[in-house]
Amino acid sequence: MGSKRALITGVTGQDGSYLAELLLEQGYEVIGLVRRSSTLNFERIAHIQDRITLVAGDLLDEVSLIAALRDHRPAEVYNLAAQSFVQTSWSQPVLTGETTALGVTRLLDAIRFVNPEIRFYQASSSEMFGKVQEVPQRESTPLYPRSPYGVAKVYGHWITINYRESYGLHASSGMLFNHESPRRGLEFVTRKVTHGVARIANGLDDKLALGNLDAQRDWGYAADYVRAMWLMLQQDAPGDYVVATGETHSVRELCSLAFAVAGLDWEQHVVIDERYLRPAEVDLLVGDPSKAQDTLGWHREVEFPGLVQMMVEADIDLVRNQLR
């Protein structure tokens, strides 16, 4: 019996890179699906690239997905690929729907066609709760998305449930709340803040422009959250799980903690720019991770202040090295 094999879409992203690391530690062979594009970025997986197999494929092209599954025969598939930035989904709603919604259907269909025994993980999102119908949000909370991204994620979530119930697939969804790390993209507010702090601390900037400082999120550490993904596919029965910390923090608190790591007063540097306000704001996202804790035995290891400190220190090092 050889080692277990897993295929990850979105392997070059934040979550994909942490999941690939975790699976390699567990003794898996890891196959990473990557798009042929003009801006291939392997930075997040550079340190493990020689230990994983990269194959070309695209969620817009079902034939490429079938070929990847046939050629590499994974036992598990983790779908982490998406147009994943909420702000961009307003300017590119159709592309967001094609990848983040219909892409899930193409991948599920490819699994059903090639090998229905493959276990499937779908990256659902707390953005599906949008205009929240109850606090905290749990697996049974009604969905009310407030962006094209959120709408697309709702489709991906329900098509996963539909294929599970209709075809008996071991297909699970992780309803993940915001999860961050030093590998987070610069367009996301946590990384925008920590990188902004690093630039100010190194004398490159004096101001950081942000949108709604009162927006609250349930922020956790990405490496903790990918462990929950893996645990879902080790269960006898598939299911849907909220993965969250159960705590909320405002952007204002994020700024206060991040600037303090560098010995700075955030109020001297942060300015409000209306361009960064969303057409429809999501107010209070906070998840109830009880099911994941009870059923999967999952728990987080990194608390919010430690996460912010980790990210600021990494960005200060990054900016310093770029100045050399």
Side-chain angles (χ1 to χ4, degrees):
M1 178 71 185
S3 59
K4 223 176 199 182
R5 197 173 295 146
L7 183 143
I8 304 171
T9 73
V11 71
T12 59
Q14 169 189 258
D15 292 7
S17 66
Y18 281 114
L19 180 62
E21 282 178 358
L22 173 72
L23 295 178
L24 288 170
E25 287 167 15
Q26 301 283 351
Y28 280 68
E29 285 180 49
V30 176
I31 317 298
L33 193 78
V34 292
R35 275 183 309 137
R36 290 271 181 243
S37 74
S38 58
T39 55
L40 279 179
N41 183 357
F42 296 121
E43 183 185 339
R44 294 185 184 96
I45 56 168
H47 62 296
I48 53 171
Q49 200 171 330
D50 60 342
R51 298 171 61 201
I52 63 181
T53 303
L54 296 177
V55 298
D58 198 314
L59 290 182
L60 300 182
D61 178 20
E62 190 169 334
V63 172
S64 71
L65 303 177
I66 290 170
L69 295 176
R70 272 190 175 154
D71 292 348
H72 297 281
R73 298 285 169 185
E76 298 172 1
V77 170
Y78 296 85
N79 182 37
L80 310 186
Q83 189 301 98
S84 62
F85 188 42
V86 174
Q87 197 75 33
T88 301
S89 77
W90 290 104
S91 57
Q92 299 182 358
V94 176
L95 177 66
T96 300
E98 282 287 353
T99 51
T100 308
L102 292 178
V104 187
T105 317
R106 294 186 190 101
L107 189 49
L108 283 164
D109 226 30
I111 287 170
R112 185 172 70 89
F113 185 69
V114 174
N115 176 12
E117 296 303 308
I118 291 171
R119 296 190 170 197
F120 176 77
Y121 171 83
Q122 166 60 13
S124 289
S125 166
S126 60
E127 289 287 333
M128 301 189 306
F129 295 117
K131 187 176 179 181
V132 300
Q133 303 300 293
E134 65 175 347
V135 179
Q137 293 87 55
R138 44 184 71 87
E139 292 79 10
S140 58
T141 300
L143 306 177
Y144 196 138
R146 297 272 277 170
S147 66
Y149 170 76
V151 171
K153 278 293 186 184
V154 170
Y155 179 98
H157 181 75
W158 275 107
I159 201 70
T160 300
I161 293 170
N162 197 265
Y163 270 61
R164 176 170 78 215
E165 294 178 350
S166 301
Y167 301 116
L169 298 186
H170 193 298
S172 295
S173 283
M175 305 163 88
L176 269 59
F177 281 65
N178 295 61
H179 44 289
E180 319 297 314
S181 76
R183 299 179 197 172
R184 192 57 143 152
L186 287 169
E187 68 272 25
F188 291 88
V189 68
T190 44
R191 185 75 198 291
K192 186 178 178 182
V193 168
T194 62
H195 193 257
V197 168
R199 287 183 60 84
I200 291 168
N202 280 288
L204 296 175
D205 293 328
D206 184 53
K207 298 298 179 190
L208 173 63
L210 296 172
N212 181 10
L213 297 185
D214 295 317
Q216 296 189 51
R217 292 291 182 273
D218 182 328
W219 278 304
Y221 177 39
D224 284 342
Y225 284 38
V226 299
R227 202 169 62 253
M229 301 176 185
W230 175 73
L231 286 167
M232 287 177 214
L233 297 202
Q234 311 317 306
Q235 304 304 304
D236 292 336
D240 306 318
Y241 296 87
V242 164
V243 182
T245 69
E247 300 172 359
T248 56
H249 303 275
S250 66
V251 176
R252 193 182 307 275
E253 184 184 351
L254 166 66
C255 290
S256 176
L257 285 169
F259 278 89
V261 172
L264 298 168
D265 177 0
W266 73 274
E267 293 184 274
Q268 303 296 312
H269 302 282
V270 172
V271 294
I272 305 300
D273 187 331
E274 291 191 359
R275 287 178 304 169
Y276 298 119
L277 298 174
R278 292 184 187 182
E281 183 57 76
V282 170
D283 301 314
L284 184 58
L285 288 174
V286 53
D288 176 3
S290 300
K291 182 182 176 185
Q293 291 168 343
D294 296 344
T295 307
L296 305 177
W298 177 82
H299 62 279
R300 62 169 171 158
E301 293 177 0
V302 176
E303 306 276 330
F304 184 66
L307 170 63
V308 175
Q309 180 173 344
M310 176 201 307
M311 291 177 66
V312 172
E313 289 174 349
D315 273 330
I316 287 174
D317 287 345
L318 178 72
V319 172
R320 231 177 241 149
N321 289 335
Q322 288 169 344
L323 290 172
R324 283 183 182 147

